Amino acid sequence: MTSPLVADTAHRRPGMSRRLLLLLTLTCAVGVGTVYFPQAISPLVVAALHESPGSATLVVTAIQIGYTAGIFLLGPLGDRLPHRPFLVTLLALTGVGLLAAGCAPGLAPLIAAAAVVGMTTVAAQVIGPLAAGLVAAERRGAVLGTLLSGSTGGMLLARTFGGTLGEWLGWRAPYLVAGAVALILAAVLARTLPVSLPSSRQRYPALLAEPLRLLRTEPELRRSCLYQATVFGGFSAVWTCLALLLTGPAYGLGAHAVGMLALVGAATMLCTPYAGRLVDRTGADRVNLVCLIGVLVSAAVLTAGARGGAAGTVALAGGTLLLDIAMQSGMVANQARVYALRPDARSRLNTAYMTCAYLGGSAGSWVGVRIYGRAGWQGVCALVAVLAGIALARHLVALHGRGTDARQAGDRGPGEPMPVGIGCPPSVPRLSRQPVERRVI
C-alpha cells in the first residue's frame, strides 16, 4: 500500500488554534528580533570591551551572515525533519548561543557566538511552511499575515529592547534575557506543537540543490521571487540611503532620526493580517497588483522628501509607511502563492523565495548608495520606481495571459476537456507537474 508523504494531508491536519497562532507569532517576533537587537548595543560593546567601532560592527555582520547561511543550509530541512523537534532544537541552540554571547570574555568569542545565533535563529522560516500545513487554503493568507506582523514587531521593537536594557544593565543583559526567552519558548513549543510527518526523504545534498531546481521548474515561484526581489531591493535602497539624507545638509539630523522614522512602520503590524484576509478572499494576484501600484506611489511621495523641512519630513514619513505596507502585504500574497504550489516541498520553496528576496535586498542597498552619490535622493526614488515598474510589467503580462486562457476555455467545443490550470481563479494554483514523493506504509 502506498500513501503520499505529505504533512498537510486533509485527514492528518491538526488545525491551528488561536493560542497556537499567538505562540507561533511570538516565536517569529523573538527569532527576527534576535537578528536586530545587537545593532543597538554596538556602542556599549565598544566601550566595555575597549574595541574600535569597526571591530564591534563585526558582531552584527556575523549575525546577518549566519542568518543568510541558516536560510540556505537549514531551511530545506523543514521538509526532511518533523517540525516540532526541528523547531525546538533550533530555538534551544539559539538560546544557548545567546547565553554564550552574553558571557563572552572578549570580542572574538562574541563574534563566534553571534554567527551561531544567526544561523540557528531561522525559526520564522520554519514556522511559515509549518503554519501553511496546519490551516485550510482559505485561511492561509490570514495566518501568514498574522505571522508576518509578529516578525515586523520583533524587527521594530528589538532595537528599543536592546538599547534600553543595555543602557540600564550593560551590553550583556539583552543577550542573557533573549537567551532565556528563547529557551522558554523552546520548552513551551516542545509541549504544544502538533506532531507532523516529514514530506521528503531526500538526502541532505539533494535538499540543498532542490530550491534551484524548483526555481527552474516552477514559473509561479519565479514570478513571486521577481516581485519580492525587486520590491525589497527598492525598500532596502530607501532605508540604506535615508540615513544619508537625514544626516546630510537637507535635514542636519542625527542618526537617531532614522530610528524614530522607522517606528512609523509599526502600522504594518495591523495591515498585514488584513492583507492576508484579502488574499484569501480575492487571490494573491489582485493583492500583488495593489501592492506594486502602492510602491510606485510611494516612490513619487518620497521624492518630495528631498526638499527638507517640515514638508519633506511629512513626505518621508508618509512615503516610507506606504512602502512598508506595500512591501509586507506583497510578501503575504507571494508566500500564499508559493506555499500552494507544492505542499510536499514548502520549506524548499520558501528557501528559494527568501534567498531571492535577500539577494534583491542586498543588491538594492549596494546600487542605492551608488545612485545616491551620483543623483541624490531623487535618483534613489527613481530606482524604486524602475524596480516596481519591472515587477508591475511582469504582473500585467501574467494577468493578460490568465485572461487569455480563460477566454480560450470558454470557447472550447462541446465535450472538450478544460486544459489543466486554465480558467482557475487567482487563489487556485495550477496543478504542479512535479511528482509527489511516496513511501511504502
Side-chain angles (χ1 to χ4, degrees):
M1 177 180 178
T2 60
S3 173
L5 188 57
V6 178
D8 72 337
T9 304
H11 67 277
R12 292 175 182 168
R13 184 181 291 133
M16 173 77 74
S17 65
R18 291 186 178 181
R19 180 181 178 184
L20 180 58
L21 179 58
L22 178 62
L23 181 60
L24 293 178
T25 303
L26 176 61
T27 305
C28 287
V30 172
V32 174
T34 299
V35 180
Y36 287 94
F37 83 77
Q39 297 176 358
I41 59 176
S42 291
L44 301 177
V45 174
V46 169
L49 298 181
H50 307 290
E51 298 285 347
S52 66
S55 299
T57 59
L58 293 176
V59 177
V60 177
T61 303
I63 288 184
Q64 292 174 338
I65 292 175
Y67 187 71
T68 305
I71 292 175
F72 180 75
L73 297 175
L74 301 180
L77 288 174
D79 291 330
R80 180 66 176 80
L81 304 174
H83 284 119
R84 182 166 67 182
F86 183 40
L87 186 56
V88 169
T89 300
L90 286 176
L91 284 170
L93 291 175
T94 299
V96 171
L98 287 167
L99 294 179
C103 298
L107 185 62
L110 178 58
I111 293 173
V116 173
V117 168
M119 178 169 287
T120 58
T121 187
V122 291
Q125 309 308 325
V126 177
I127 288 174
L130 164 65
L134 293 178
V135 296
E138 60 269 16
R139 287 191 58 218
R140 191 169 293 145
V143 169
L144 292 175
T146 301
L147 294 176
L148 187 56
S149 70
S151 299
T152 303
M155 178 177 62
L156 292 173
L157 298 177
R159 297 182 181 93
T160 303
F161 156 78
T164 303
L165 193 61
E167 289 283 355
W168 185 28
L169 297 176
W171 70 269
R172 299 181 187 274
Y175 283 104
L176 297 176
V177 172
V181 171
L183 292 176
I184 292 172
L185 277 175
V188 173
L189 289 174
R191 298 178 60 88
T192 57
L193 273 183
V195 176
S196 63
L197 295 177
S199 60
S200 173
R201 294 297 186 190
Q202 286 183 306
R203 295 183 180 275
Y204 183 62
L207 281 177
L208 290 183
E210 187 74 359
L212 293 175
R213 191 184 70 81
L214 289 170
L215 277 171
R216 187 177 67 252
T217 59
E218 296 287 352
E220 291 295 275
L221 173 61
R222 293 197 300 271
R223 187 158 70 97
S224 296
C225 289
L226 173 65
Y227 296 168
Q228 197 61 31
T230 52
V231 172
F232 192 49
F235 175 88
S236 300
V238 165
W239 282 102
T240 301
C241 299
L242 194 61
L244 302 176
L245 176 67
L246 292 178
T247 56
Y251 288 90
L253 300 174
H256 68 281
V258 180
M260 296 300 296
L261 192 61
L263 291 178
V264 176
T268 58
M269 296 174 61
L270 304 176
C271 295
T272 49
Y274 176 71
R277 291 192 291 270
L278 282 179
V279 172
D280 292 334
R281 291 201 301 265
T282 67
D285 280 348
R286 293 185 181 180
V287 174
N288 270 137
L289 178 61
V290 174
C291 291
L292 292 174
I293 294 174
V295 175
L296 283 173
V297 175
S298 73
V301 174
L302 286 168
T303 302
R307 69 182 63 178
T313 302
V314 172
L316 291 179
T320 53
L321 176 59
L322 181 57
L323 180 61
D324 286 4
I325 293 174
M327 191 274 291
Q328 299 281 22
S329 299
M331 177 172 282
V332 176
N334 289 322
Q335 285 186 319
R337 182 190 296 111
V338 167
Y339 289 154
L341 294 175
R342 289 274 305 276
D344 63 306
R346 286 193 175 117
S347 292
R348 287 163 284 178
L349 288 164
N350 186 67
T351 297
Y353 172 75
M354 294 303 300
T355 300
C356 290
Y358 274 94
L359 288 175
S362 300
S365 297
W366 187 84
V367 174
V369 170
R370 280 146 186 81
I371 289 180
Y372 184 86
R374 293 175 177 268
W377 181 249
Q378 291 92 339
V380 175
C381 296
L383 172 65
V384 176
V386 169
L387 291 173
I390 293 172
L392 182 59
R394 174 64 182 88
H395 190 58
L396 293 176
V397 169
L399 294 181
H400 176 72
R402 193 181 296 277
T404 301
D405 287 347
R407 288 192 297 272
Q408 291 175 350
D411 292 339
R412 71 189 190 282
E416 293 182 18
M418 179 180 288
V420 173
I422 290 181
C424 294
S427 58
V428 179
R430 299 189 179 194
L431 296 178
S432 173
R433 289 188 288 270
Q434 299 304 319
V436 176
E437 297 181 42
R438 295 176 176 268
R439 67 182 175 93
V440 177
I441 303 297

